[in-house]
């Protein structure tokens, strides 16, 4: 009779390295010796300096933290399929770290005596374990990523090159049209005309030995230097200057200028000794330059019609896709895309002002709210905006507000025409409730803070992420000072704001299974925004406001500032920053893939790696909500 438990163990293990190197029949025999261990949250598996066990371990469900208790350093976090406790297998020494259940977990204990033969008979198994042990990571295939919840890859200082040309890899034609050295010039020219190409690679055994361009045909054939019946080898340029596949736009420009050529040959390793895979022309570079941030910014500022801005926004989306494809750090990507989006909004306002019959009666400020106010709006989403204008006398108030409502209507229509849908809740400056004088806004925010009901907390949560897009910054600064002054006098507001931050339900259920929508249009889909992103956004907001931190609206940056202010919670806040960027990047990719907002995710379409990465953010969200609950003494955590 089949041992169903060991069969399930084997089925699980075969999905993860190094067990995927072992034949299933052998794995099934090993699985019969595996012990299944259940651990409650914070329960120890082994301690630092403890005598080595007869097993090493694999996480089946839950998560295990590894740390050095002597200095309190957090080393790593092991998730489903991760191995740990290799020291007795590799070095026969006492443990150098403590392993503890990060949450309720099921762990497989792999007996070392039974497993050791596999390290001798399977080279892949031995290599994996040696690299894992030597690099002190649960998976050597991700060396350098240990202990980080959702790796961004190359987070670091933002490059100072304002054009960002060095970030953009060049797209090249992969459908090569080539000939041999013995082909006649007439045939080469005919083929180039038919295929509408400006250069022909000459290959020998698939390796590039020469190139013929339009310039060669003009200078060497049209002048009569060579007859049309001559061979390709007679006029081709040789040797061919070759470059590698991962070539940036800046490198391509420099290469052409340096060599005085108009085409670059791309090979597998960048040398003429490997197969040609593509070709880059000056025309390709000119097209790529059109999607350069500096060029896009100039084009936005020159636009005098909404239609032109709409066309440019397509270029911004193309740039976004390119940055994601190249794995450019999201910190940099979001800054560039947000600046371009902000420039689009500014230009829409400028065009709308030109359409008005008269100039503004007083100074004003246009406020971006929500994700755009936080510089997190990468995809085309709906509008959230407000307008604040300079105080006027009571007699002038109605006429002044009427002017700005008329302006706001033109602006919101313009934003809708370039891709920003109207806000379903009408939280837009074209609504009189969101277009008021500075004094009126002070009264409104005072009411929200001193009368924090459910609606007031919701409205303030949206509004308090505002950022100026256009106009008089002094008005915005004065309103900001007013808000911080009032919240200091009424700290009870933060309790209500914290309670609101805990309203979004937990992303996961028992053993961190995804909690999906139970009904409605998105039944069985995972709501990435409500269950994962919003708890982080709302949590960062209440913590930053309560700490009197001004002028930082971006969620990831808020957490990074909190890490500076609270060193004892720095690990959690930095994890929250990573999780925020990871989730935003994931949502953006999903949105671009499915041509929607990326909010609702069909879990069946995700790879195992994507699911694991998402789940790694859940524990961070849970910890953040627990901290908020304790700090603000919120009675019940809803979810």
């Amino acid at each position: 009779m089949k041992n169903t438990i060991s069969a399930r163990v084997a089925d699980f293990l075969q999905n993860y390295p190094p067990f995927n190197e072992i034949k299933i029949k052998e794995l099934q025999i090993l699985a019969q010796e595996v012990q299944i261990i259940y651990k409650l949250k914070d329960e120890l598996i082994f301690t630092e300096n403890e005598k080595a066990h007869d097993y090493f371990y694999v996480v089946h469900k839950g998560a295990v933290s590894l740390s050095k208790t002597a200095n309190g350093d957090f080393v790593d976090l092991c998730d489903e399929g991760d191995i740990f406790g290799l020291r007795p297998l590799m070095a026969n020494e006492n443990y150098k770290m403590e392993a503890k259940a990060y949450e309720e977990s099921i762990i497989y204990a792999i007996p070392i005596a039974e497993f050791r033969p596999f390290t001798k008979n399977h080279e892949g198994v031995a290599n994996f374990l040696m690299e894992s042990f030597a690099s002190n990571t649960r998976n050597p295939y991700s060396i350098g990523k240990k202990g980080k919840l959702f790796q961004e890859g190359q987070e670091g200082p933002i490059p100072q090159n304002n054009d960002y040309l060095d970030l953009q890899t060049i797209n090249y034609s992969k459908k090569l049209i080539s000939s041999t050295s013995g082909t006649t010039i007439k045939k080469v020219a005919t083929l180039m005309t038919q295929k509408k190409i400006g250069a022909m690679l000459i290959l020998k055994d698939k390796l590039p030995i020469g190139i013929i361009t339009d310039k060669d045909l003009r200078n060497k054939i049209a002048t009569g230097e060579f007859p049309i019946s001559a061979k390709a080898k007679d006029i081709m340029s040789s040797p061919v200057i070759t470059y590698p596949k991962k070539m940036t736009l800046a490198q391509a420009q420099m290469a052409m200028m340096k060599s005085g050529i108009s085409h670059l040959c791309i090979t597998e390793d960048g040398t003429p000794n490997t197969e040609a895979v593509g070709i880059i022309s000056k025309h390709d570079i000119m097209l790529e330059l059109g999607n350069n941030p500096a060029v896009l910014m100039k084009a936005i500022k020159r636009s005098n019609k909404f239609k032109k801005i709409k066309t440019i926004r397509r270029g911004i989306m193309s740039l976004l896709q390119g940055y994601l494809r190249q794995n450019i750090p999201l910190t940099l990507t979001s800054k560039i895309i947000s600046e371009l989006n902000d420039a689009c909004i500014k230009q829409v306002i400028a065009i709308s002002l030109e359409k008005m019959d008269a100039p503004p009666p007083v100074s004003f400020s246009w406020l971006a709210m929500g994700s755009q106010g936080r510089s997190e709006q990468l995809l085309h989403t709906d509008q959230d905006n407000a307008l604040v204008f300079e105080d006027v006398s009571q007699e002038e108030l109605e006429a002044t507000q009427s002017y700005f409502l008329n302006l706001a209507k033109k602006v919101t229509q313009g934003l809708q025409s370039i891709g920003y849908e109207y806000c379903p809740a009408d939280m837009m400056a074209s609504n009189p409730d969101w277009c008021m004088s500075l004094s009126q806004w002070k009264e409104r925010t005072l009411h929200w803070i001193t009368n924090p009901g459910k609606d007031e907390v919701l409205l303030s949560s949206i509004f308090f992420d505002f950022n100026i897009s256009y106009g008089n910054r002094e008005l915005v600064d004065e309103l900001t000072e007013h808000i911080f002054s009032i919240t200091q006098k009424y700290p009870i507001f933060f309790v209500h704001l914290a309670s609101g931050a805990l309203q979004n339900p937990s992303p996961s259920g028992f053993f961190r299974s995804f909690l999906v929508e139970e009904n409605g249009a998105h039944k069985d889909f995972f709501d990435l925004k409500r269950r994962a992103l919003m708890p982080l956004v709302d949590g960062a907001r209440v913590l930053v406001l309560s700490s009197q931190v001004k002028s930082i609206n971006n969620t990831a940056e808020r957490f990074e500032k909190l890490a500076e202010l609270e060193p004892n919670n720095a690990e959690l806040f930095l994890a929250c920053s990573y999780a925020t960027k990871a989730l935003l990047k994931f949502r953006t990719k999903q949105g671009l893939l499915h041509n929607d907002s990326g909010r609702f995710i069909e879990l069946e379409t995700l790879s195992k790696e994507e699911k694991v990465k998402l789940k790694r953010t859940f524990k961070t969200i849970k910890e953040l909500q627990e901290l908020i609950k304790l700090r603000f003494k919120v009675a019940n955590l809803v979810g």
Side-chain angles (χ1 to χ4, degrees):
M1 182 177 175
K2 185 179 180 181
N3 185 332
T4 55
I5 295 177
S6 63
R8 287 201 298 270
V9 171
D11 289 342
F12 174 83
L13 291 176
Q14 71 175 340
N15 293 314
Y16 302 95
F19 306 102
N20 57 354
E21 298 281 344
I22 302 172
K23 293 179 180 179
I24 187 62
K25 289 184 179 179
E26 294 178 292
L27 201 56
Q28 287 170 347
I29 295 171
L30 175 67
Q32 293 176 20
E33 307 300 324
V34 170
Q35 288 193 21
I36 301 173
I37 302 170
Y38 173 77
K39 292 287 183 180
L40 294 171
K41 181 182 178 181
D42 294 331
E43 193 174 350
L44 289 169
I45 295 106
F46 52 78
T47 60
E48 194 170 344
N49 296 318
E50 183 179 333
K51 185 179 178 181
H53 297 182
D54 295 329
Y55 305 87
F56 70 94
Y57 301 96
V58 179
V59 180
H60 173 54
K61 294 283 187 182
V64 171
S65 65
L66 303 178
S67 58
K68 289 185 175 292
T69 53
N71 52 18
D73 285 349
F74 174 81
V75 176
D76 207 351
L77 193 65
C78 299
D79 214 317
E80 286 96 334
D82 288 335
I83 57 174
F84 66 97
L86 285 173
R87 187 161 293 276
L89 173 65
M90 307 301 294
N92 196 26
E93 297 174 350
N94 292 352
Y95 292 112
K96 301 298 184 184
M97 289 181 286
E98 176 187 271
K100 183 167 61 175
Y102 191 77
E103 56 190 60
E104 197 172 20
S105 302
I106 294 176
I107 301 161
Y108 290 163
I110 314 294
I112 290 171
E114 279 73 17
F115 185 80
R116 198 178 295 279
F118 292 106
T119 64
K120 299 176 181 178
N121 302 329
H122 297 77
E123 185 179 354
V125 172
N127 289 341
F128 179 93
L129 293 174
M130 283 190 290
E131 289 182 30
S132 181
F133 181 71
S135 61
N136 200 28
T137 57
R138 56 188 173 335
N139 188 340
Y141 302 156
S142 58
I143 291 173
K145 300 181 179 182
K146 60 180 181 176
K148 293 180 180 178
L149 281 144
F150 200 138
Q151 191 67 21
E152 275 295 302
Q154 298 96 350
E155 287 295 344
I158 295 173
Q160 297 303 307
N161 180 352
N162 291 329
D163 287 346
Y164 304 112
L165 288 176
D166 55 328
L167 297 176
Q168 291 179 254
T169 54
I170 186 80
N171 289 318
Y172 56 85
S173 173
K174 297 181 179 67
K175 294 182 179 179
L176 281 178
I177 309 298
S178 62
S179 293
T180 63
S181 59
T183 306
T184 64
I185 301 301
K186 181 178 181 180
K187 188 171 182 180
V188 169
T190 301
L191 194 56
M192 287 173 64
T193 302
Q194 290 174 347
K195 299 296 182 179
K196 297 179 180 179
I197 56 175
M200 174 79 74
L201 273 179
I202 307 303
L203 305 181
K204 182 179 181 180
D205 298 327
K206 296 186 178 179
L207 301 181
I209 60 170
I211 187 171
I212 296 174
T213 67
D214 283 334
K215 186 178 178 181
D216 293 319
L217 296 177
R218 290 196 307 271
N219 292 347
K220 298 176 182 179
I221 302 299
T223 60
E225 183 179 348
F226 290 91
I228 197 73
S229 58
K231 305 296 183 183
K233 63 182 178 182
D234 297 327
I235 70 166
M236 71 183 187
S237 299
S238 182
V240 181
I241 300 174
T242 57
Y243 289 89
K245 290 188 288 186
K246 289 186 177 180
M247 190 176 202
T248 67
L249 184 55
Q251 289 170 332
Q253 281 185 302
M254 291 299 293
M256 287 187 181
M257 288 178 2
K258 179 181 177 181
S259 303
I261 55 179
S262 58
H263 292 80
L264 303 177
C265 176
I266 306 300
T267 63
E268 283 289 350
D269 67 357
T271 74
N273 303 318
T274 54
E275 188 174 339
V277 294
I279 195 165
I280 298 172
S281 69
K282 276 189 177 179
H283 179 68
D284 295 328
I285 290 179
M286 294 306 296
L287 289 177
E288 289 293 329
L289 281 171
N291 279 345
N292 175 260
V295 175
L296 290 168
M297 186 68 79
K298 289 177 184 176
I300 292 167
K301 292 178 178 179
R302 287 197 301 265
S303 299
N304 55 9
K305 292 183 179 179
F306 298 147
K307 286 183 179 179
K308 289 185 178 180
I309 300 176
K310 183 177 182 179
T311 301
I312 295 168
R313 289 205 80 212
R314 295 195 194 104
I316 296 173
M317 287 299 102
S318 175
L319 183 70
L320 172 61
Q321 287 177 311
Y323 281 179
L324 292 174
R325 189 169 55 246
Q326 297 165 51
N327 200 29
I328 301 299
L330 194 75
T331 302
L332 177 57
T333 298
S334 61
K335 283 185 182 296
I336 295 172
I337 302 302
S338 293
E339 283 184 23
L340 290 169
N341 286 339
D342 209 42
C344 290
I345 294 171
K346 281 185 172 72
Q347 197 62 18
V348 166
I349 296 170
I351 294 171
S352 300
L353 282 167
E354 291 291 328
K355 295 175 180 285
M356 297 293 289
D357 295 331
V362 292
S363 67
F364 73 99
S365 297
W366 185 275
L367 305 180
M369 302 187 300
S371 58
Q372 178 63 20
R374 296 190 301 272
S375 297
E376 295 166 3
Q377 189 183 70
L378 301 180
L379 298 172
H380 291 187
T381 55
D382 60 341
Q383 301 181 40
D384 287 305
N385 46 57
L387 189 148
V388 52
F389 56 86
E390 191 179 347
D391 286 334
V392 295
S393 65
Q394 192 63 38
E395 293 78 17
E396 299 172 305
L397 183 58
E398 184 178 348
T400 304
Q401 186 182 40
S402 178
Y403 175 93
F404 285 113
L405 283 171
N406 188 17
L407 171 64
K409 185 176 180 181
K410 294 182 187 299
V411 174
T412 53
Q413 286 175 342
L415 292 174
Q416 193 271 341
S417 71
I418 70 168
Y420 291 100
E421 293 301 321
Y422 291 123
C423 174
D426 202 21
M427 293 180 185
M428 299 183 296
S430 52
N431 179 345
D433 288 337
W434 296 92
C435 178
M436 297 188 292
S437 70
L438 177 60
S439 292
Q440 288 175 315
W441 272 118
K442 286 181 177 180
E443 291 176 13
R444 178 66 55 84
T445 52
L446 173 64
H447 173 76
W448 288 342
I449 293 167
T450 56
N451 298 275
K454 184 177 180 181
D455 291 341
E456 286 77 13
V457 169
L458 174 62
L459 293 170
S460 63
S461 295
I462 297 168
F463 184 79
F464 287 171
D465 287 341
F466 66 77
N467 205 357
I468 184 170
S469 291
Y470 186 100
N472 186 347
R473 181 166 291 277
E474 291 181 4
L475 293 173
V476 179
D477 291 342
E478 188 172 342
L479 181 56
T480 300
E481 289 295 333
H482 167 77
I483 290 170
F484 278 95
S485 174
I486 298 301
T487 53
Q488 275 189 305
K489 296 175 183 177
Y490 295 91
I492 188 66
F493 171 73
F494 295 121
V495 177
H496 292 277
L497 199 61
S499 180
L502 300 175
Q503 294 302 307
N504 289 305
S506 169
S508 59
F510 187 68
F511 281 136
R512 296 185 304 149
S513 60
F514 288 86
L515 289 183
V516 297
E517 301 307 291
E518 296 181 354
N519 48 52
H522 297 98
K523 186 177 184 295
D524 296 328
F525 279 64
F526 179 70
D527 189 341
L528 186 70
K529 177 184 176 181
R530 187 167 69 104
R531 293 187 183 272
L533 268 172
M534 289 313 297
L536 291 164
V537 170
D538 293 341
R541 182 189 301 112
V542 65
L543 289 168
V544 158
L545 288 175
S546 65
S547 299
Q548 295 288 298
V549 175
K550 303 171 185 176
S551 304
I552 300 180
N553 288 3
N554 180 267
T555 303
E557 291 178 7
R558 281 173 165 174
F559 280 123
E560 287 160 14
K561 182 63 177 178
L562 288 166
E564 289 179 24
L565 296 175
E566 301 181 35
N568 57 318
N569 289 315
E571 183 183 319
L572 171 60
F573 290 144
L574 290 176
C576 289
S577 177
Y578 274 105
T580 301
K581 288 182 279 191
L583 290 167
L584 183 59
K585 187 174 185 177
F586 186 84
R587 180 182 178 181
T588 303
K589 283 186 173 181
Q590 289 290 312
L592 290 170
L593 181 64
H594 301 291
N595 196 30
D596 58 19
S597 69
R599 174 174 177 172
F600 293 97
I601 309 298
E602 188 176 7
L603 296 174
E604 296 304 315
T605 64
L606 302 183
S607 67
K608 178 200 171 291
E609 182 183 10
E610 287 172 326
K611 289 179 182 178
V612 168
K613 285 182 176 181
L614 275 179
K615 286 181 180 180
R616 283 182 182 164
T617 67
F618 295 173
K619 58 180 69 73
T620 304
I621 294 168
K622 186 177 180 181
E623 278 193 7
L624 176 68
Q625 290 187 325
E626 288 294 335
L627 182 146
I628 291 170
K629 183 181 178 183
L630 290 172
R631 178 167 299 184
F632 297 99
K633 297 180 174 60
V634 180
N636 293 305
L637 177 62
V638 179

